[in-house]
Amino acid sequence: LGREATKEELATACDISVAQLDKCRKAMQQATFSLDAEVQNGNKPNNIQSRKDTMYDIIQYKVDETEYEKTQRLLMKEHLISTLRRYLSPHEVDLLLLRYGLMDERALPKGMSGPLTIAEVSNLVGLKPDKVRRIIINSQKQLRHLMKEWECFEAELA
């Protein structure tokens, strides 16, 4: 040809439309970045002491809790509750679940969520606060030998 091909000639040679060729060219002009590339803070370009972050580090901090982490937390919670049910009476388990916010919030009265105070638990179950406190303390004493599992659970929640 001895010259640069026109858009129409390129499109015909590639068996695509001119519009498709334009989209391909536009896509090829886009900048790409490696997730492993170091990123320097533009506000402090000469700061030698600052740690160089990668694109992956920055993106990782921006992402909310992943589905994997949500599922893992849910499975750990279910495992903890099943362990409680194995070693304690249903009444003791319910008091612990209410006290430490492990009860399904749909089962709680409207306006209540998360860990409840001893007074709130006692109002819900119709017992005096001192009785609720004693039951919870006795339940925890029964579970002392299982504290290794609880420590792992607390570490995951933190």
Side-chain angles (χ1 to χ4, degrees), residues 27-39:
M28 289 171 48
Q29 290 174 351
Q30 290 179 350
T32 57
F33 299 97
S34 169
L35 291 177
D36 295 323
E38 290 183 346
V39 178

Side-chain angles (χ1 to χ4, degrees), residues 82-122:
S82 69
T83 302
L84 292 176
R85 293 191 193 287
R86 195 173 327 130
Y87 292 98
L88 300 173
S89 71
H91 184 63
E92 292 168 327
V93 172
D94 288 342
L95 291 178
L96 285 172
L97 296 181
L98 288 168
R99 177 67 177 110
Y100 295 105
L102 298 170
M103 181 73 76
D104 186 0
E105 294 193 8
R106 294 173 292 190
L108 295 174
K110 189 173 183 176
M112 291 190 163
S113 66
L116 302 178
T117 64
I118 296 287
E120 291 170 329
V121 173
S122 67

Side-chain angles (χ1 to χ4, degrees), residues 51-147:
R51 181 175 78 77
K52 299 260 185 183
D53 286 329
T54 63
M55 291 290 282
Y56 179 77
D57 294 334
I58 294 169
I59 292 170
Q60 184 179 7
Y61 295 125
K62 300 271 184 198
V63 174
D64 291 336
E65 189 177 30
T66 64
E67 286 300 315
Y68 172 76
E69 291 167 336
K70 287 179 186 176
T71 305
Q72 186 178 23
R73 288 172 62 88
L74 179 64
L75 290 174
M76 288 181 71
K77 179 180 173 182
E78 289 174 359
H79 176 68
L80 177 62
I81 293 171
S82 69
T83 302
L84 292 176
R85 293 191 193 287
R86 195 173 327 130
Y87 292 98
L88 300 173
S89 71
H91 184 63
E92 292 168 327
V93 172
D94 288 342
L95 291 178
L96 285 172
L97 296 181
L98 288 168
R99 177 67 177 110
Y100 295 105
L102 298 170
M103 181 73 76
D104 186 0
E105 294 193 8
R106 294 173 292 190
L108 295 174
K110 189 173 183 176
M112 291 190 163
S113 66
L116 302 178
T117 64
I118 296 287
E120 291 170 329
V121 173
S122 67
N123 285 338
L124 275 176
V125 296
L127 297 173
K128 292 184 178 180
D130 189 49
K131 178 73 174 173
V132 170
R133 185 179 346 289
R134 280 190 312 228
I135 293 171
I136 290 174
I137 290 171
N138 287 334
S139 300
Q140 291 172 336
K141 285 179 183 176
Q142 293 175 43
L143 298 170
R144 291 256 188 252
H145 66 283
L146 299 173
M147 290 310 259

